[in-house]
DNA sequence: TTAATATTGTCTCTCAGTGGAACAATAGAT
DNA sequence: ATCTATTGTTCCACTGAGAGACAATATTAA
């Protein structure tokens, strides 16, 4: 069969991407659903023999979101044995009209390298892959339960994102180019899962000298208009 | 052949360990040398089909150091193509009297999961493996050049260790159970690569309420004797 | 035209933590 | 008893954050 031939890919090696987006004040991630089973999973993929791990992840991300040049960070590699459930994978391929033999390499044990991505929710055009029926955004604190160890992968991704948020100044990757201070604060609050003080947040952001101030944003509301900001490109 | 049969191991998957120790005021790591080639490499290994990634790493570490229950942290997975140099691996196996065929699975492409370990330098009894001629400590800023991408692996390990040093309070793992404040400070300085202020360091450590103070250590020197400390087990 | 309202931008006060230095304590040598 | 080297502690100045107050302003209501 030509579908995912073992000659092209490295067996036993997979990757899973936790793609974060921000919309309507909520932090969300992308999940794929296999309708025939009702199962949810992270978007992932496999590594070809002649491509870099990172190339494979970027390609997979582009195929699902249409985006190049995405903020991407590897956070952990999962190598437990609870990952190894051939019957789950077999059912998924069967339900998608791609049945595979019992000795197929895709049913063998896999280690998975976890990446998280931060993208501008508005720029995405979602595209399911060959074996999934849909891909969509899910609120980070209203996730369905996921196959295999994907719940743990999401939790670890979120933990790493929180730890890196201040250190790497990556919050802006979830917003469009120009945004208000309030929007930036909402991103931080959604990621950290806690309210922040408005004045302290503003003071801290401005003191770091990473933001550029632009024109005001007039929304038609009856109050002072906020400035728009962008991250300095240095 | 029975040596590293492909039936027992997951192909394409390896791990490498950066084992940190502290001795005579210097931060050191363990390196293996293949005498016939003069090449140096990190101690690593492969994952058996029926064991967890972490089990494999711990077992490998035990075989080389004789230590169980070591502080261990996964920091990155390396998946570039510069790792793929079959001629290097072939030469190593030939030089160690374990020649392998050109199509042997060990000559194929590998991804490697990097772990770093922190151990008490004094507790180790070093043990070379089947194909390496020696294993020994090397000063972190006087390392020989290493095979494949092992230089990058070491740098990434050191970077991660520095980032985690304060956040995870892991410095004590490089010292014996009881130590003086001066020794702890020396560990921090060796890891961070910079001098710290004595009084600030002491105040910070004591204020964190993680240290237990024990008896004084009389060294015979003509000055005030320092207290011994241990980390609280909580 | 003026006042009211909601939100944003800035300032002040306070307090905790750190850099830097000084001072006190002390084990052994002289 | 005095000196020396090092350790434990305290003090002062500065910085950054929490908390609140106040000023600025875009629009609506009177």
């Amino acid at each position: 069969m030509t579908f995912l031939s073992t000659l092209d890919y490295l067996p036993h090696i997979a990757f899973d991407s936790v793609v974060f987006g921000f919309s309507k004040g909520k932090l969300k991630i992308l999940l794929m659903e296999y309708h025939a089973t009702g199962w949810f999973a992270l978007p992932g993929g496999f590594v070809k023999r002649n491509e870099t791990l990172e190339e494979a992840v970027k390609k997979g991300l582009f195929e699902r979101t249409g985006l190049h040049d995405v903020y991407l960070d590897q956070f952990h590699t999962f190598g437990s044995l609870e990952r190894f459930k051939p019957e789950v994978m077999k059912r998924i391929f069967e339900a998608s009209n791609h049945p595979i033999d019992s000795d197929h390499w895709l049913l063998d044990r896999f280690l998975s390298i976890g990446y998280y991505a931060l993208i501008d929710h508005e720029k995405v055009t979602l595209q399911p892959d060959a074996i999934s029926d849909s891909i969509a955004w899910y609120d980070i604190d209203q996730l369905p339960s996921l196959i295999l160890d994907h719940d743990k992968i999401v939790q670890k991704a979120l933990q790493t994102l929180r730890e890196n948020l201040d250190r790497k100044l990556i919050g802006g990757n979830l917003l469009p180019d120009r945004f208000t201070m309030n929007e930036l604060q909402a991103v931080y609050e959604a990621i950290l899962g806690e309210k922040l003080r408005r004045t302290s947040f503003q003071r801290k952001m401005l003191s770091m000298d990473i933001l550029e101030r632009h024109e005001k944003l007039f929304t038609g509301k009856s109050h002072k208009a906020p400035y728009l900001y962008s991250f300095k490109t240095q």
Side-chain angles (χ1 to χ4, degrees), chain A:
Chain A
M1 69 184 296
T2 57
F3 178 66
L4 286 174
S5 162
T6 186
L7 294 175
D8 295 334
Y9 290 90
L10 296 173
H12 306 294
I13 296 172
F15 64 85
D16 287 295
S17 300
V18 182
V19 183
F20 289 100
F22 181 76
S23 170
K24 303 198 178 89
K26 298 278 192 177
L27 189 64
K28 297 166 190 274
I29 67 170
L30 286 181
L31 291 181
M32 309 203 307
E33 179 176 5
Y34 309 110
H35 284 151
T37 60
W39 289 341
F40 293 87
L42 289 169
F46 308 101
V47 183
K48 289 196 171 174
R49 304 184 92 90
N50 59 357
E51 72 183 352
T52 287
L53 168 62
E54 200 166 302
E55 285 168 1
V57 176
K58 284 182 178 169
K59 196 176 61 184
L61 216 54
F62 171 70
E63 286 167 357
R64 260 58 158 251
T65 66
L67 295 180
H68 289 106
D69 300 325
V70 161
Y71 182 88
L72 200 60
D73 202 4
Q74 185 196 299
F75 61 92
H76 196 74
T77 292
F78 298 85
S80 74
L81 288 167
E82 68 172 325
R83 302 188 49 73
F84 182 30
K85 291 184 178 168
E87 68 283 2
V88 170
M89 297 310 294
K90 188 153 208 247
R91 174 99 190 276
I92 288 176
F93 284 104
E94 280 168 357
S96 67
N97 290 322
H98 288 94
I100 53 181
D101 296 338
S102 293
D103 62 346
H104 192 283
W105 65 284
L106 282 170
L107 299 184
D108 209 334
R109 181 181 168 198
F110 274 82
L111 267 64
S112 180
I113 298 108
Y115 281 79
Y116 71 88
L118 305 179
I119 63 177
D120 176 1
H121 178 277
E122 301 303 321
K123 290 211 184 96
V124 178
T125 50
L126 296 177
Q127 183 73 42
D129 68 7
I131 59 165
S132 71
D133 298 293
S134 71
I135 180 167
W137 292 104
Y138 291 82
D139 201 300
I140 192 70
D141 41 44
Q142 288 179 357
L143 295 180
S145 73
L146 310 179
I147 64 167
L148 304 178
D149 59 347
H150 287 203
D151 299 287
K152 285 184 184 169
I153 296 179
V154 171
Q155 287 314 308
K156 184 83 177 174
L158 187 56
Q159 179 196 329
T160 309
L161 172 58
R162 284 176 177 157
E163 290 170 357
N164 288 345
L165 184 59
D166 277 324
R167 208 158 45 77
K168 298 188 176 179
L169 298 172
I170 52 184
N173 292 294
L174 291 165
L175 291 172
D177 289 347
R178 297 199 172 188
F179 48 85
T180 65
M181 192 62 77
N182 224 358
E183 291 169 332
L184 186 58
Q185 184 178 343
V187 167
Y188 271 69
E189 289 175 342
I191 293 174
L192 298 175
E194 59 181 357
K195 283 279 174 191
L196 301 175
R197 309 202 56 75
R198 184 182 64 90
T199 56
S200 299
F201 182 80
Q202 177 141 242
R203 175 175 49 188
K204 184 172 158 186
M205 283 297 147
L206 292 178
S207 72
M208 283 194 294
D209 196 40
I210 53 169
L211 295 180
E212 196 149 355
R213 179 177 281 183
H214 303 285
E215 75 282 4
K216 291 186 174 185
L217 173 67
F218 297 92
T219 59
K221 300 280 181 61
S222 66
H223 54 73
K224 189 172 179 178
Y227 289 106
L228 286 171
Y229 294 91
S230 67
F231 279 88
K232 284 184 181 173
T233 54
Q234 27 195 353

